[in-house]
Amino acid sequence: MSGTVAPDPARRSTPYAPPAQVVTSLDLPTKVKLLSGRGFWILESVPEHGIQGIMVTDGPHGLRCQITSADHLGLAAALPSTCFPPAVTLGSSWDAAMLTEVGTAIAEEAVSLGVSVVLGPGINLKRHPAGGRCFEYLSEDPLLSGTLATAMVRGIQSRGVGTSLKHFAVNNQESHRLIVDAVVDERTLRELYLRAFEMVVTEAQPWTVMCSYNLLNGTYTSEHPELLTTILRDEWGFEGLVMSDWGAVNDRAKGIAAGLDLEMPGSRGANDDAVVDAVGAGKLTEEAVDRCAHRVVELLQRGQDVRRADCSGVPEIGSADRDAHHDVARRAAAAGTVLLSNNGALPLSADRHIAVVGAFASDPRYQGAGSSQVNPTRLDRALEELRDRVAPAGAPGEVGRVTYAQGYEARDGSCPSGLLEEAVSAAHAADVVVLFAGLPAAAESEGFDRTTLDLPDGQVELIEALAATPTPVVVVLNNGGAVHMEWAQRVDAVLECWLGGQAGGSAVVDVLLGDAEPGGRLAESIPVHVAQLPAHRNFPGHPRQVEYRESLYVGYRFHDTAGVPARFAFGHGLSYTTFEWSEASVEKAGADGEVDFEVRVTVTNTGERSGSDVVQVYVRDVESSVHRPDKELAGFAKVHLEPGGSEVVVIRLDRRSFAVWDVAAHDWLVEEGTFEVIVARSSVDPVEVTEVTVGSTDVLGPTVRPAAFVATDDEFAAMLGRPIPTPAPTRPFDRNSTLEEMQDTRLGRMLASAVTREAVKRTAEEFPDPDDATIEMIRSSIREAPARSMVLMSGGMVDFAQLDVLIDALNANWSAAGAGLVEQIRRALGTATRSGSAE
């Protein structure tokens, strides 16, 4: 790749004392201080050993590097960086090599900006398609997520820049994410929600792992010893540092004991005295502090190669090739574009009259809102690109024509009668309609979940009106999560582009005109209706507790097991060319006694265009003694072929491909018997099914399955191995009480009103004309955040002593005593970063 940059080798050779020696030389308060950041993005330095603070920054699909101002919700300006397609699009590429290339480019820009650790990738499973951050995550399948995230981590870290794998773990919703307890049985936890993390840790060793906000089975993940130490370090062999999500720390001393090394952002020492006191009282060992400090020093030393000499002030943009990176982003967007249906309308002929309809053609949706939001180096617009390609000024001979009708309002998707009539008129006059539709920014964002999978009513009305004309209609979708498509069979083609990043506008034109293929396959099922999904019965759940009663039956694992077809199945995606698969075979590959097989299939491009295809291999246990999904993805490979080209694809299956997590053995076990190895184009489109016999002496313990895919109380208690917990009470108030809960009191209403009003007001002052998603994100972050966030995210303007006085007042309803504190806290938060959290 052109523009490759790497850390200065001269810096790399700088000698440092071993981390253990550095830690031994520090007194307890200094060590404790190291365990919290210095501000939002910088870690503390160890000047007596010549170790300077390093910078970390978002994010998963490009850098959000803030220098002159900082916030945790993606509001303040960041330095320009390439906005690559978000994970929803990258996941649909099924292309590990592409993710490595994107990761490498992100790392090159990180080096140019002096960023030592990139806060990503995010790999939480898409339990429910309405999750507010579905656009930041790769798939509903852990193997696909883990494989692609591993590739990205390798790409980023190949340039000497670290990654932060997030959000560990079971952070599958935005609603009440800082206080909700995810209640999930052990088998489901291991097979679905931890599997991708395990793959990335064991195969790529990310420099850091970021804990999530939520509780997991009654314990905050930021202080969960089984999660952070027993599983992550002892079982998986993680060698790096664990940091908190921004504002995720609950009890800092418990977090240190559990293995949470670094609190972010810096809380200006708000927790330091409590940690020192805990050591003095024998509640926390100094050895635990030393372990965390050792890992912080290790990270600081690793990150010195790319840090700026001065972490204040704006750096000059280094030698990263932004033009080359824009090209990478363009190819990645096309690679993740999924052709869902096509009756011959695509690709378009450039000599036709094309009516472009839809505000997103000129005002694109290309990324999600929140902490991952990137300030792009440029922004391609599909309407401009199409006009330049179809009807270039001054072109000789016969050329096509492009007309445009707005169709709907970009901000909310509404379709006033005048815009509808204009669009229908444009359709009647054209040879083909290309309608750009999707979710407005206000419909999906970090900080809140969607309440529906519907497109805006105005857009649906527009689609139906255009479909009723005699002109062929191609619908191009831009959305960060799955949407209902009850109209899909009434249009001529549906192109799911997800969110395409800064080059999405040019990429979609490449695909529409056939200059690039729609290379994507669905990384998540698109349901006929969300009400069919068993997870929907418990999403987002009680504010304090969400129960994963659907067990393993998420996405295609539900659809294919229950016989409830998705509208478009997991792994589905059409091409502009044709492929023939032949000579499929499954052969024993390992030594006697090993469970290893090689799946081989020859893929040939029998069409007239170059293209790619994805070979998917699923495993089905023909007769299992425990409940299992109908089939599970066990491997895949993407091949790129010229017309007439052919390639033998080899996919290896190992013991884990056939294993289940056995709760009694607390281990992965394989049951002896017959399995089907399914070579398929999607989860419902098999090409070849081969039976294999797997030998094993393992004996699986009994399990309980939800008979109707949503566990009853008795079934769920049996799955958990304990009584179903009761959601935490909201009274008396404590540091984890939310403003939403405090509004039950007069003083709480005063506080909530004052803080929310001040935050929205200052946001509007600092960021003119904030969109609806930003306003809702701020309101939900404030409303649903625990009271401790007012301390941790205030930059030292509010302390725990003040907060505790306020809580005492709330519990006793001492309105007079608390009123002054409300005003004091309102003013403090008005001059600090908005209370809430995000990374």
Side-chain angles (χ1 to χ4, degrees):
M1 180 186 298
S2 61
T4 296
V5 293
D8 181 357
R11 280 189 176 180
R12 191 179 296 114
S13 64
T14 302
Y16 296 110
Q21 183 178 328
V22 173
V23 172
T24 300
S25 72
L26 305 177
D27 61 20
L28 179 60
T30 304
K31 289 185 289 190
V32 171
K33 184 179 180 182
L34 265 184
L35 308 188
S36 181
R38 190 179 85 225
F40 255 80
W41 308 117
I42 307 296
L43 273 62
E44 289 285 358
S45 61
V46 191
E48 54 268 55
H49 288 274
I51 303 172
Q52 301 301 310
I54 62 172
M55 174 180 281
V56 303
T57 195
D58 293 311
H61 63 272
L63 300 179
R64 185 171 71 93
C65 185
Q66 297 175 319
I67 301 296
T68 56
S69 59
D71 74 272
H72 47 287
L73 292 176
L75 303 177
L79 297 175
S81 297
T82 305
C83 180
F84 294 93
V88 62
T89 311
L90 295 177
S92 291
S93 74
W94 290 63
D95 192 335
M98 176 60 71
L99 269 84
T100 297
E101 190 174 4
V102 169
T104 303
I106 290 173
E108 290 172 357
E109 296 193 13
V111 172
S112 76
L113 295 174
V115 172
S116 296
V117 178
V118 174
L119 302 176
I123 59 168
N124 293 97
L125 203 75
K126 299 187 184 186
R127 174 183 177 242
H128 191 287
R133 294 178 88 170
C134 276
F135 61 86
E136 279 193 58
Y137 302 135
L138 292 161
S139 177
E140 69 185 30
D141 182 82
L143 183 132
L144 179 56
S145 294
T147 302
L148 297 181
T150 295
M152 175 170 270
V153 168
R154 286 174 173 162
I156 294 173
Q157 296 191 168
S158 71
R159 292 295 185 263
V161 173
T163 55
S164 192
L165 192 65
K166 63 185 188 181
H167 305 89
F168 190 58
V170 201
N171 180 192
N172 307 110
Q173 65 186 61
E174 291 300 283
S175 176
H176 297 90
R177 59 182 175 163
L178 284 96
I179 61 166
V180 71
D181 183 10
V183 181
V184 56
D185 68 279
E186 183 180 332
R187 183 180 172 200
T188 301
L189 176 67
R190 291 288 191 148
E191 293 190 18
L192 290 190
Y193 297 103
L194 296 186
R195 178 72 176 104
F197 286 97
E198 178 187 6
M199 291 178 66
V200 182
V201 167
T202 57
E203 296 175 23
Q205 279 293 342
W207 286 17
T208 77
V209 167
M210 182 188 294
C211 80
S212 57
Y213 289 122
N214 53 283
L215 298 88
L216 172 59
N217 290 328
T219 302
Y220 274 101
T221 62
S222 63
E223 54 197 54
H224 203 300
E226 181 183 14
L227 194 65
L228 302 186
T229 295
T230 305
I231 294 175
L232 182 61
R233 296 192 185 279
D234 298 343
E235 292 185 24
W236 299 348
F238 178 58
E239 299 171 356
L241 171 143
V242 179
M243 69 171 69
S244 74
D245 202 341
W246 267 231
V249 169
N250 175 50
D251 184 314
R252 188 66 187 106
K254 287 183 178 179
I256 290 170
L260 180 68
D261 304 307
L262 178 65
E263 173 193 27
M264 290 299 288
S267 58
R268 301 288 181 93
N271 285 311
D272 290 6
D273 288 346
V275 172
V276 172
D277 290 346
V279 173
K283 296 179 180 178
L284 175 68
T285 67
E286 189 165 355
E287 288 77 12
V289 174
D290 289 350
R291 282 194 297 270
C292 294
H294 185 282
R295 293 168 190 147
V296 172
V297 171
E298 277 187 326
L299 181 64
L300 288 169
Q301 291 180 346
R302 296 178 86 173
Q304 293 298 299
D305 291 340
V306 296
R307 69 165 301 279
R308 298 194 314 279
D310 178 10
C311 284
S312 62
V314 179
E316 294 183 4
I317 302 300
S319 57
D321 189 335
R322 304 307 170 96
D323 291 336
H325 293 173
H326 186 78
D327 180 65
V328 173
R330 182 171 180 167
R331 289 187 287 108
T337 295
V338 185
L339 183 59
L340 296 177
S341 63
N342 185 24
N343 66 5
L346 292 177
L348 302 175
S349 173
D351 61 0
R352 309 289 298 283
H353 177 181
I354 302 170
V356 175
V357 177
F360 287 170
S362 59
D363 185 11
R365 277 256 10 246
Y366 62 96
Q367 65 177 325
S371 62
S372 67
Q373 197 158 291
V374 177
N375 178 19
T377 59
R378 68 179 84 167
L379 182 60
D380 295 346
R381 303 174 190 276
L383 180 59
E384 295 173 2
E385 293 286 334
L386 198 57
R387 281 173 170 162
D388 289 345
R389 303 270 287 283
V390 171
E398 194 72 23
V399 296
R401 181 183 175 200
V402 175
T403 53
Y404 172 67
Q406 179 181 329
Y408 56 84
E409 300 292 346
R411 185 157 189 157
D412 60 9
S414 62
C415 182
S417 58
L419 294 183
L420 179 64
E421 292 168 5
E422 178 190 30
V424 171
S425 177
H428 280 290
D431 296 317
V432 63
V433 173
V434 178
L435 169 60
F436 287 79
L439 293 175
E444 55 183 353
S445 169
E446 178 177 359
F448 59 89
D449 298 311
R450 284 189 286 161
T451 57
T452 177
L453 298 194
D454 292 344
L455 288 175
D457 291 343
Q459 288 192 14
V460 175
E461 182 184 7
L462 176 61
I463 292 170
E464 297 286 8
L466 294 174
T469 71
T471 307
V473 176
V474 175
V475 176
V476 175
L477 289 173
N478 291 121
N479 43 290
V483 295
H484 290 146
M485 300 186 201
E486 65 277 9
W487 40 264
Q489 305 307 314
R490 294 189 286 280
V491 297
D492 297 271
V494 180
L495 195 63
E496 177 57 89
C497 297
W498 304 111
L499 301 175
Q502 68 178 48
S506 54
V508 69
V509 173
D510 290 340
V511 173
L512 288 169
L513 296 179
D515 297 328
E517 63 150 351
R521 304 293 185 269
L522 287 178
E524 57 196 281
S525 310
I526 298 179
V528 173
H529 196 278
V530 69
Q532 296 174 318
L533 307 180
H536 190 61
R537 292 278 296 276
N538 292 280
F539 180 89
H542 184 280
R544 288 276 173 179
Q545 183 169 297
V546 55
E547 298 167 1
Y548 286 48
R549 292 188 179 223
E550 70 281 358
S551 180
L552 303 171
Y553 301 100
V554 171
Y556 74 91
R557 286 171 167 80
F558 161 70
H559 289 291
D560 299 352
T561 306
V564 178
R567 186 175 297 280
F568 295 106
F570 176 81
H572 169 73
L574 304 177
S575 176
Y576 289 159
T577 188
T578 55
F579 295 93
E580 179 183 282
W581 294 10
S582 61
E583 301 175 351
S585 66
V586 182
E587 302 291 341
K588 192 81 169 65
D592 290 343
E594 294 182 357
V595 183
D596 286 293
F597 295 89
E598 272 190 357
V599 181
R600 291 177 177 267
V601 62
T602 300
V603 180
T604 303
N605 184 346
T606 56
E608 298 179 353
R609 293 174 175 270
S610 60
S612 65
D613 209 0
V614 178
V615 177
Q616 303 164 39
V617 176
Y618 298 84
V619 167
R620 173 187 290 132
D621 192 343
V622 174
E623 188 175 350
S624 176
S625 65
V626 300
H627 75 95
R628 300 187 70 165
D630 173 72
K631 68 180 74 71
E632 294 178 277
L633 185 69
F636 66 93
K638 189 168 191 175
V639 291
H640 301 265
L641 296 170
E642 296 298 320
S646 185
E647 183 175 329
V648 177
V649 175
V650 180
I651 297 171
R652 192 175 183 92
L653 306 181
D654 61 14
R655 189 176 191 276
R656 283 291 291 272
S657 304
F658 302 89
V660 298
W661 180 261
D662 188 86
V663 175
H666 204 66
D667 199 1
W668 294 96
L669 301 184
V670 175
E671 187 170 36
E672 182 178 38
T674 301
F675 289 78
E676 290 180 347
V677 176
I678 305 164
V679 180
R681 290 189 167 93
S682 77
S683 73
V684 297
D685 188 8
V687 174
E688 188 77 22
V689 179
T690 303
E691 286 193 350
V692 298
T693 300
V694 173
S696 174
T697 59
D698 294 345
V699 178
L700 275 60
T703 64
V704 176
R705 73 169 296 166
F709 297 99
V710 180
T712 64
D713 286 353
D714 289 343
E715 289 170 341
F716 194 49
M719 288 161 57
L720 294 173
R722 64 185 188 279
I724 301 170
T726 302
T730 59
R731 295 289 188 95
F733 298 125
D734 58 27
R735 292 181 180 182
N736 281 320
S737 297
T738 66
L739 286 180
E740 184 177 57
E741 293 165 338
M742 292 176 180
Q743 288 184 92
D744 285 345
T745 69
R746 180 170 176 270
L747 181 57
R749 288 190 293 275
M750 290 171 56
L751 177 64
S753 175
V755 173
T756 303
R757 186 171 59 249
E758 187 69 24
V760 172
K761 172 186 163 202
R762 289 191 174 267
T763 298
E765 290 173 353
E766 296 178 34
F767 315 105
D769 194 28
D771 61 28
D772 295 337
T774 298
I775 295 299
E776 177 56 29
M777 178 172 58
I778 291 169
R779 284 179 173 154
S780 63
S781 295
I782 292 172
R783 184 174 61 245
E784 298 176 4
R788 58 182 157 85
S789 295
M790 288 188 279
V791 176
L792 299 179
M793 306 300 290
S794 72
M797 304 297 290
V798 179
D799 61 35
F800 280 118
Q802 292 172 313
L803 179 62
D804 290 342
V805 170
L806 177 62
I807 291 170
D808 286 342
L810 285 161
N811 283 324
N813 200 24
W814 299 336
S815 299
L821 268 177
V822 168
E823 178 60 17
Q824 186 177 351
I825 289 174
R826 182 193 70 79
R827 290 174 184 252
L829 293 177
T831 59
T833 303
R834 257 66 58 202
S835 182
S837 358
E839 273 315 316

